[in-house]
Amino acid sequence: MLKVSHPFDALMDITGRPQTIFVRGEGSYLWDDTGKRYLDFIQGWAVNCLGHAPDVMAEAIAAQAKLLITPSPAFYNAPSLKLAKASVENSCFDRVFFANSGAEANEGAIKLARKYGALHKAGAYEIITFEGGFHGRTLATMSASGKKAFAPLFEPKVPGFRKAKLNDLASVEQLINSNTVAVMLEPIQGEAGVWPATDQFLQELRALTHDHGLLLIVDEIQTGMGRTGKLFHYEHACITPDIMTLGKGIGGGVPLAALLATGGASCFEHGDQGGTFNGNPLMCAVGLAVLEQVAEPAFLRAAAEAGQCLEAELQKLSARHGLGEVRGRGLLLALDLKLPIGTAIVAQAFEAGLLLNSPRPDALRFMPALNLTRQEIAEMIDQLDAILTRCGAARRVA
Ligand SMILES: Cc1ncc(COP(=O)(O)O)c(C=O)c1O
């Protein structure tokens, strides 16, 4: 029998992680098993929109767990019906399919587009996606992604994805042919380093896809659920996409995702889509509790204001340390460091009890809880200021 010599050995080693074990979370803070406290500006990778362990989620989980955990996806259950209704009432979509992860929701979107192509566009199946885009880690969603590091992995790729350039309409237009059925994009490319599509580009893309009879799919797995200061990012551009995927924030920290479609795009037939845990009442009850909070106009207003405050503070910090632009929207922001020092800053921040992310060597990404306080923003800025000062001093000495 395999002897486990180290507490970390039994898990597949799929990424570099600090050898720290987190045991508790509350709001914007996490604690490890030594009692050290961390201010969390990652929040499960833009997941915990209400912060760690909010009462509303704990109560929803406990209440639903005592009532019904899963009757089978072959039967209706009340929380999934309620969450589906609330989701369509708060968006421009008419139908919802619940999934367990963002990648699975995007797989569903790809399948739905291909089904639409089979039914309405003579078998068209190609989807135009974007260089730098990230849509997940299943085979099809890795193929849809434009992440360079994915290119050599797990060949052969799933065919049917052509890559255009973000904010370059001509690059999209060039790729349209009789096989094209849809265009799919993240309104802000999060994993690539927080690169926003402009509102104008989104509007022009909507017009272009309309003109060619193509579906427009927005992957709002990172930008949705209030992250950018509106419930869904597409609202900023005043467009109506045909399909949207949600993940991360929709469950506030539990595995829940969704595929939403307009009536015209919603064309699955029996047998096309499903899954054992899809739409299970436990996760949907949590999703409902989260949506009830996040969709409140006052909550969204406060999140947008917190985003403006964080952006302004990051801009001041950038000016103080001679760094680059602050980009993004709401509480999905990046600070351009101008130098490949992101990994070193993240490591120093971790030591100091601050959780930050560096999605590319020359940038930091900020994705805190949507209900964070001004005090927490000030605390993060102070800590980062001190680290940048030390880095600057080290650079000057070197
Ligand atoms: C825009 C986007 N799409 C899809 C995914 C994949 O979601 P998941 O990790 O839940 O499969 C992510 C995750 O980071 C994402 O940011």
Side-chain angles (χ1 to χ4, degrees):
M1 206 165 77
L2 179 75
K3 290 263 186 299
V4 176
S5 58
H6 192 281
F8 306 106
D9 283 354
L11 282 178
M12 285 194 191
D13 191 20
I14 49 104
T15 187
R17 289 186 264 225
Q19 295 207 338
T20 301
I21 300 172
F22 287 102
V23 292
R24 190 166 77 80
E26 191 182 319
S28 285
Y29 294 94
L30 270 178
W31 283 263
D32 70 17
D33 61 352
T34 69
K36 180 175 168 185
R37 190 179 85 153
Y38 300 77
L39 176 60
D40 189 358
F41 268 65
I42 293 177
Q43 287 287 355
W45 242 248
V47 166
N48 307 319
C49 46
L50 303 177
H52 289 285
D55 286 346
V56 282
M57 285 181 63
E59 283 156 16
I61 290 170
Q64 188 59 42
K66 282 186 194 156
L67 215 55
L68 176 65
I69 292 179
T70 195
S72 152
F75 302 123
Y76 288 122
N77 70 74
S80 79
L81 292 171
K82 283 187 198 158
L83 182 57
K85 258 280 183 276
S87 302
V88 302
E89 280 169 6
N90 279 286
S91 71
C92 65
F93 302 98
D94 303 302
R95 296 267 189 280
V96 185
F97 171 77
F98 291 113
N100 307 294
S101 72
E104 190 195 359
N106 280 339
E107 283 273 343
I110 293 162
K111 284 171 66 176
L112 191 61
R114 286 190 174 194
K115 179 81 188 191
Y116 184 89
L119 291 176
H120 304 299
K121 287 185 73 72
Y125 65 94
E126 282 185 3
I127 300 178
I128 298 172
T129 58
F130 288 83
E131 290 173 11
F134 181 81
H135 299 293
R137 290 176 179 279
T138 61
L139 276 177
T141 55
M142 284 180 89
S143 306
S145 298
K147 186 177 161 123
K148 280 207 183 85
F150 282 178
L153 301 180
F154 311 119
E155 292 291 290
K157 291 281 182 300
V158 174
F161 299 100
R162 294 165 153 251
K163 309 287 173 352
K165 288 185 170 44
L166 194 66
N167 293 324
D168 180 346
L169 198 71
S171 77
V172 181
E173 217 163 354
Q174 272 165 19
L175 296 178
I176 297 174
N177 63 48
S178 59
N179 284 329
T180 313
V181 69
V183 176
M184 175 174 180
L185 84 167
E186 304 161 78
I188 299 176
Q189 290 189 341
E191 298 306 300
V194 188
W195 298 103
T198 64
D199 289 347
Q200 188 188 339
F201 178 69
L202 289 171
Q203 286 154 7
E204 288 172 356
L205 200 56
R206 179 65 285 191
L208 183 74
T209 47
H210 265 150
D211 288 351
H212 289 267
L214 306 178
L215 298 173
L216 180 63
I217 306 172
V218 286
D219 174 345
E220 294 236 21
I221 284 160
Q222 195 157 141
T223 55
M225 299 307 293
R227 176 69 38 202
T228 68
K230 290 200 183 283
L231 191 54
F232 306 115
H233 185 288
Y234 71 79
E235 296 170 36
H236 289 292
C238 303
I239 58 165
T240 306
D242 302 292
I243 296 174
M244 173 171 74
T245 52
L246 294 175
K248 296 186 181 283
I250 186 178
V254 301
L256 178 66
L259 161 64
L260 296 94
T262 58
S266 180
C267 56
F268 279 146
E269 294 170 298
H270 289 188
D272 287 343
Q273 185 66 327
T276 302
F277 295 117
N278 297 57
N280 72 82
L282 191 60
M283 295 307 123
C284 289
V286 180
L288 196 58
V290 170
L291 184 62
E292 277 168 3
Q293 300 270 310
V294 174
E296 271 299 315
F299 182 94
L300 288 169
R301 216 168 23 249
E305 284 165 10
Q308 282 156 13
C309 170
L310 178 59
E311 189 173 347
E313 291 301 322
L314 287 171
Q315 269 157 358
K316 280 190 232 161
L317 197 69
S318 175
R320 214 154 44 237
H321 293 276
L323 307 177
E325 66 170 352
V326 177
R327 53 179 186 262
R329 207 167 207 165
L331 287 166
L332 179 57
L333 296 173
L335 171 62
D336 178 1
L337 298 165
K338 281 190 167 164
L339 288 171
I341 53 174
T343 310
I345 290 180
V346 166
Q348 289 185 45
F350 191 87
E351 278 304 305
L354 170 64
L355 301 184
L356 293 178
N357 164 247
S358 172
R360 44 184 286 146
D362 63 355
L364 294 175
R365 176 171 45 168
F366 304 85
M367 37 193 169
L370 302 184
N371 55 3
L372 89 169
T373 64
R374 296 296 188 276
Q375 171 71 34
E376 288 157 355
I377 292 176
E379 191 183 328
M380 185 281 288
I381 293 286
D382 280 353
Q383 291 197 39
L384 185 53
D385 195 12
I387 293 164
L388 287 167
T389 303
R390 278 202 302 278
C391 284
R395 277 209 306 274
R396 278 193 295 277
V397 169

